[in-house]
Amino acid sequence: MTTPPTTPSNPPRSERADRPWPRILLGPGPSDVPPRVLAALASPTLGHLDPEYLQIMDETRGLLQRVFATENKLTLAVSGTGSAGMEACVANLTEAGDEAIVCVAGAFGARMADMAERHGAAVHLVEVPWGQTVGAEAVAAALKAHPRAKWVGIVHAETSTGAHQPLEEISRLVHGAGALFVVDAVTSLGGHDLRVDAWGIDACYSGTQKCLSCPPGLAPVTFSPAALDAMDRRKTKVRSWYLDMSLIRNYWSADRVYHHTAPVNMTYALREALRAVLEEGLEARIARHRHNHLALRAGLEAMGLAYIPAASLASLNAVHIPAGVDDARVRGRLLDEYGIEIGGGLGPFKGKAWRIGLMGSSSTKRNVTLLLAALEAILGDMR
């Protein structure tokens, strides 16, 4: 088949200015960024100790507390992407010789386990096949087998598989065993129900570029008083100077002790993105994500595409690629002909799955309708 000519909304690269042309971001992240957030990003840069910037930091912390649903004083934005947030939690709660239990149901649970090992922990895995969720009974068995475990880590929204992990029962088990509960909320914060205080989460991290619809570059984190106490009782320094919360929290405190040059403009953007979340309302935002997910799911299943996880995320839809369909060709045509980005599979799902994000500003009826029409046309050509 002859490839249709490019459209005015997606011109050939040779006709573009010296800047990227807009895409419709429906992959596993980043998501589309609203104009108001981009405008905030372009505001004049201030010094990282300027009183006006310090006030913006405080406002951002307050907004993060509301979105995380927590009163934790140690709530801030780590300078780095979501993986920096992961490492900040792992590094600060782990000393050499500590034991940790990490639940692995995909790529990002495995990454957490790898980080814990690098920081000196003896890591005990609770593993399930990719696409499944971890059962509370498996966590209970691990806690019984490893009663010295200092913390238990789990991914709330596994971006590599689209699986949505229930947390409340596991949290009760973890605290009943006297351990700390660490949660990866990179793909859930701002798009799924997440209640840090009510669910007893001791350390939680996320990223700006998913359901918050802010450019990548900051990692919201929050630590409970119990986690803070564990950090204060450390016998050794945190192995990462850059991510040492005993240093960073002094910069975010009233003392304002210099640690590193903060990404000032990204803080502007995050503040504006959080304002947008709260103006919409968390309940309404979560409902929007759920509604658009169900519409996309109905359309994909009507086309014969099967979802991978039984407990599927609203923000990340993982589906099996039909037999005989060329993964790269389909994603390439979506990008070239329609300006739509979706993600391919990771690990054992490479070449076998598509990961379709409906996160933040990307989660719209328009995007669902456009993607379904584009996929139907492309797959129809291949039959």
Side-chain angles (χ1 to χ4, degrees), residues 59-73:
E59 291 174 10
T60 303
R61 184 213 305 275
L63 295 168
L64 279 173
Q65 288 172 315
R66 292 172 63 187
V67 174
F68 270 125
T70 184
E71 294 183 4
N72 290 341
K73 292 182 180 179

Side-chain angles (χ1 to χ4, degrees), residues 45-267:
T45 302
L46 297 174
H48 58 278
L49 293 174
D50 185 299
E52 187 172 352
Y53 176 64
L54 298 178
Q55 181 179 342
I56 291 171
M57 287 175 61
D58 289 341
E59 291 174 10
T60 303
R61 184 213 305 275
L63 295 168
L64 279 173
Q65 288 172 315
R66 292 172 63 187
V67 174
F68 270 125
T70 184
E71 294 183 4
N72 290 341
K73 292 182 180 179
L74 190 53
T75 301
L76 52 88
V78 169
S79 301
T81 58
S83 292
M86 177 189 288
E87 189 145 19
C89 292
V90 170
N92 283 273
L93 294 176
T94 306
E95 293 187 81
D98 284 344
E99 293 187 40
I101 295 170
V102 180
C103 302
V104 178
F108 295 96
R111 181 173 298 183
M112 190 190 300
D114 184 21
M115 285 186 184
E117 288 180 349
R118 289 168 183 256
H119 285 278
V123 179
H124 310 292
L125 302 181
V126 178
E127 294 185 272
V128 298
W130 280 43
Q132 296 185 18
T133 54
V134 177
E137 63 283 353
V139 176
L143 287 164
K144 184 176 181 181
H146 307 289
R148 295 182 63 250
K150 184 177 183 180
W151 57 269
V152 177
I154 198 165
V155 179
H156 185 212
E158 180 52 74
T159 317
S160 63
T161 69
H164 185 192
Q165 176 68 52
L167 296 177
E168 293 177 81
E169 186 177 356
I170 291 174
S171 177
R172 286 192 291 270
L173 291 169
V174 170
H175 288 294
L180 298 169
F181 192 36
V182 179
V183 171
D184 177 320
V186 170
T187 305
S188 57
L189 183 68
H192 283 267
D193 193 19
L194 176 69
R195 308 180 191 188
V196 167
D197 286 358
W199 294 355
I201 299 171
D202 293 296
C204 190
Y205 58 89
S206 189
T208 50
Q209 76 276 19
K210 307 278 188 168
C211 294
L212 298 181
S213 281
C214 182
L218 288 175
V221 297
T222 186
F223 296 91
S224 72
L228 186 57
D229 180 62
M231 287 187 262
D232 288 341
R233 287 187 288 105
R234 291 181 64 101
K235 296 180 177 63
T236 59
K237 289 183 178 181
V238 175
R239 290 188 176 186
S240 170
W241 179 91
Y242 188 67
L243 298 174
D244 185 345
M245 282 296 140
S246 70
L247 304 175
I248 294 173
R249 72 193 195 206
N250 289 334
Y251 173 50
W252 282 77
S253 73
D255 294 334
R256 304 300 185 185
V257 178
Y258 167 73
H259 181 258
H260 67 277
T261 302
V264 171
N265 290 61
M266 270 301 300
T267 308

Side-chain angles (χ1 to χ4, degrees), residues 24-31 315-316 341-343 355-359 362:
I24 299 171
L25 298 177
L26 300 181
S31 61
S315 55
L316 196 286
E341 177 188 87
I342 66 170
R355 293 181 299 148
I356 302 168
L358 289 176
M359 304 177 191
S362 292

